[in-house]
Amino acid sequence: MGGEGSGLYAPFTVLSTTAWAGSSLLQPVLTIPRTIEPYRPIVGDAPLAEIRALAEPLRGKRVLHVNATAFGGGVAELLGAVVPLMRDAGLQAEWRVIQGADEFFTVTKAMHNSLQGMALPWHSEMFELWRRYNALNAQLFGDQAYDFVVVHDPQPAGVLAELARLRGARPPGKWLWRCHIDLTAALPEVWAFLRPYVEQYDAAIFTLAEYVKQDLRVPLVAIVPPAIDPLSTKNMDLSAETVAQVLARYGIDASRPIITQVSRFDPWKDPLGVIDAYRLVKRVVPEVQLLLVASMASDDPEGWSYYERAAHRAGGDRDIHLLTNLEGVGNTEVNVFQRCSQVVIQKSIREGFGLVVSEGLWKGRPVVGGNTGGIPLQVLDGTTGFLVRTVEACAEKTLSLLQHPDEADRMGAAGREHVRQHFLITRLLRDWLRVFNQLAEGG
Ligand code: UDP
């Protein structure tokens, strides 16, 4: 798999950043307003009381979240949910995205892959291009001042250093770097390049303690796993009628078994392995259907080439449905596909957290997931689903769940409860408020 991916970047040409069509400020992302109160019946009184208490000292504080894309992928999903809730808690929270041309996002995708352990060839022009786009985005920061600036992932991580250079002084407020990816096997030269940028931050937040690099020196390191929003259109309960309508629209037969993986077309998500596992299952259960659902994120130029590989691997099999956001697959459709699946699959080879796992479990479906990254936090092996490493194991566990629907339902119910306890957005909001309070107190 690693070899396949590395070819994507082989002959790299650096274009000029003058090709970049920027506007004058970082673009704000509009979010749908939400209030905290409706979560009470789902999570109970205590979490809401804790949120109110933690939010009190932070009332009116200005918070900016910065990331690379407004849709597609887990970070956009998280910000769309947590930013409105921060506002309802009394903070002035905003979300803005950086700008960049394809050449920048090609480099940042290579950076993402290298930080997750892929051996790609790097040369100084690639680092320089990343720095230049970060400098351009620092210019777009304007003269705004914030109490807390949360910069998500490596793409915009250089904005703080470049802004300090531009202004001749460090910008005010506390700056936090939120790393959503697994750095354990990061390519040393790429981490060595990024580390000095990250070390300028006041805090670094990771999904798992194992992801924290030993040589990273920042005043505060916090571990905060992501979470899902149970009231979003992606996760809320749906009527049987809506489910039936959506399935009919996409030509999916509700009377036959469905297995689904929802994720970007990316080598780490292993969509080709999912197709192979499906084929093994189909030998025993010929009526099974596979849904491979992928959104094409604006910061992911690799998506289409990987989509084509998946389409090629699927061949003419009419029971494999490759569905993307470009065919109108939005949040409701993803919700339907996950909830109508007998088994949800997330056969990742590497994974930061894997929001889709909690999404599947929350819908009461068992998940067969890759034994990597944040997936074992969510898939408790043999209780909420199964952890697998190979195509064969993925097929075996999926088949077993298809053949034992009662067990599948039991695991799904246990999974929903596990998510309620640990991976709902109110817990994430609480964790952010804790970190902000810690920083405000100079802790
Ligand atoms: N997603 C989606 N449509 C798709 C594919 C993915 O809405 O076609 C969403 C998915 O439901 C989840 C997020 O994108 O909320 C992916 O997050 P995850 O942490 O699983 O993976 P990432 O893409 O961040 O690596």
Side-chain angles (χ1 to χ4, degrees), residues 56-70:
E56 201 41 48
L58 298 168
R59 186 158 289 282
K61 297 282 187 213
R62 296 195 61 187
V63 179
L64 173 66
H65 288 271
V66 180
N67 83 317
T69 177

Side-chain angles (χ1 to χ4, degrees), residues 337-353:
F337 299 148
Q338 289 168 329
R339 84 177 46 245
C340 72
S341 300
Q342 272 66 31
V343 182
V344 166
I345 298 179
Q346 190 53 46
K347 207 207 146 297
S348 304
I349 288 159
R350 250 180 213 286
E351 187 60 77
F353 178 70

Side-chain angles (χ1 to χ4, degrees), residues 73-74 77 234 262 264 269 293-295 334 351 354-356 359:
E77 187 75 21
K234 166 88 47 83
V262 176
R264 290 178 291 111
K269 310 286 187 184
V293 184
S295 68
V334 169
E351 187 60 77
L355 279 177
V356 283
E359 290 168 4

Side-chain angles (χ1 to χ4, degrees), residues 71-78 112 116 153 180-181 226 228 234-235 261-266 269 292-297 323-325 329-331 334-335 338 346 348 350-357 359 363:
F71 78 95
V75 180
E77 187 75 21
L78 281 169
H112 175 104
Q116 293 215 125
D153 278 340
H180 293 270
I181 58 182
I228 62 162
K234 166 88 47 83
N235 297 311
Q261 173 160 303
V262 176
S263 39
R264 290 178 291 111
F265 279 119
D266 163 320
K269 310 286 187 184
L292 272 182
V293 184
S295 68
M296 298 298 175
L323 302 165
T324 77
N325 49 328
V329 176
N331 289 334
V334 169
N335 188 338
Q338 289 168 329
Q346 190 53 46
S348 304
R350 250 180 213 286
E351 187 60 77
F353 178 70
L355 279 177
V356 283
V357 174
E359 290 168 4
K363 287 155 193 132

